[in-house]
Amino acid sequence: MQRWYLGLDSSTQSLTAVGIAPDSRKILCEISLNFDRELPAYGTRNGTLRHEDPTVVHAPPLMWVEALDKMFERLRREGLPLGELAAVSVSGQQHGSVYLNETAADRLARLDPAVPLVEKLRGVFSRPTSPIWMDSSTSVECAEITEALGGPAEVARRTGSAAFERFTGPQIRKFYKMDPEGYRRTAHIALVSSFLPSVLAGRIAPIDVGDGAGMNLMNIHTRDWDPAALAATAPDLRRRLPPIVESWTVVGPIARYFVERYGVSPQAQVVVGSGDNPCSLVGLGLVRSGMVAISLGTSDTYFGAMDECRVSLEGEGHVFGSPTGGYMTLVCFKNGSLARERVRDQLGLDWEGFARAIFSTPPALGGRGLILPWFEPEITPKVLKPGARYQGLRPDDPAVCRAVVEAQMMAMRIHTRWMGVRPSCIYATGGASANPAILRVMADVHRCPVYRFETTASAALGAALRAFHAWQRSAGDPLTWEEVVRGFAEPVRDSRVDPSPETAAAYDAMEVAYRDFEQKELARSQA
Ligand code: ADP
Ligand code: XUL
């Protein structure tokens, strides 16, 4: 039997496993367990616990543990050769934190193969629920940390991002203020992506530079804890945090629990976990600077690899350590598919009609009009007062179809310029990447080739590929990242859309006009 590798993605709603066999470049399995359906006793909705304050969003960490047992049970039932497993790694929803008491390390080290994980680990939490990335209840703490560190640009310069409500540091500060006794009882703080490797390896696992950068606590330049950020967050925080390591670090062999209970190879290595976005970077094959993915989902996200560390002092987006070495960026635009749907519906079209309207309108509308697509409050740039703004266009003009997509692409072009990396190729993913007119505008505005990428479980695949890479490295036979991802992370064949050079001048002119309109409207909405 050939060696194989397992990636486990603990996301908001489910735990997904992807197994890969690199020798044959085969995906051996893709299995997903939905938390609400398969673990109803925890009472989650979409993987989260409801709170009377809608800005508070938590999840039960014990549910993630139980899901792990269920997953290994499934893997065994489906006949995966667990005895041949070479390495496993984890992808976790970013920012979510798990609070462990002083018994945790010992209990993790003594898991009993005869007793399910939940029974042994029920008592290890000093905070029964975990705040996750959807929690936005820490504005006060963000302001306090920002003030202590000398302003938003300084926080971004140090940690790669301005202070964000969902980031772990502000969440830890809130816990410390709200429940000082609970904080006192906390011996270890883990991320979702370091907690599950801790269970798998039976010891407190380190945090990697990818997910570590989503905490407002890691210095993005030194790739280690930032003493000033720690001090601004909570007292005695350093001793509650594990070390930060590069993303290919081996935590140790898999715990005896999994060997005896499920027949996993005792030689299987547990590789440090990372965040789902850093893992997706690998799962999409974005292993060279300038390779970018644009995900056109409910919101649109732009993320890619970058060799040098540059941060946005305006607070646009985030810089994380990349699991491949260097850095990665992530910028989120809230008005994605919902804005496109709004336009489609207000014109009474289906997606085909929407595409036809784009193809029958000239690039940049021949300069006759613009829209700022802020139907909902926008993240990039920050717009709190929603409402689309029109210039030289009426909402019932079919040209709005092209205008909205061009505006979205132009906003990405403008608000990712701080990265100092021009995209060399773009992988388009997400629901709207099925639309050929949208891909045409994307290629023209960004002036680079676009490929369509059909993803199912890119984060879990990325974790499996990271496990493979780390195993090779630790065996003294390192592979380049290109060799690691080859045959697994490939775009749809024949999906390449090349930019049309004759549109370049129109979009350069549009950029000037768009910037101007955006500046004016931003100033007006702040007035
Ligand atoms: P998420 O993962 O955020 O739920 P998806 O990546 O599944 O989102 O994308 C869903 C969105 O894709 C829908 O909201 C819809 O607007 C959009 N979509 C689906 N098909 C098309 C199409 N042919 N053209 C444009 N948008 C589309
Ligand atoms: C990234 C973020 C989300 C979660 C989703 O900053 O908050 O993408 O990682 O799981």
Side-chain angles (χ1 to χ4, degrees), residues 92 94-95 159 167 191 193 207-215 218 220 223 244-248 272-279 281 318-328 466:
Q94 292 201 251
H95 319 298
T159 72
F167 275 45
L191 294 178
S193 68
I207 285 177
D208 89 310
V209 294
D211 218 9
M215 301 174 79
M218 181 184 108
I220 193 72
R223 299 162 92 91
I244 294 187
V245 296
E246 290 296 336
S247 315
W248 45 75
V272 69
S274 189
D276 52 2
N277 294 298
C279 287
L281 188 85
H318 312 296
V319 179
F320 302 139
S322 162
T324 60
Y327 293 88
M328 69 170 288
R466 288 198 310 99

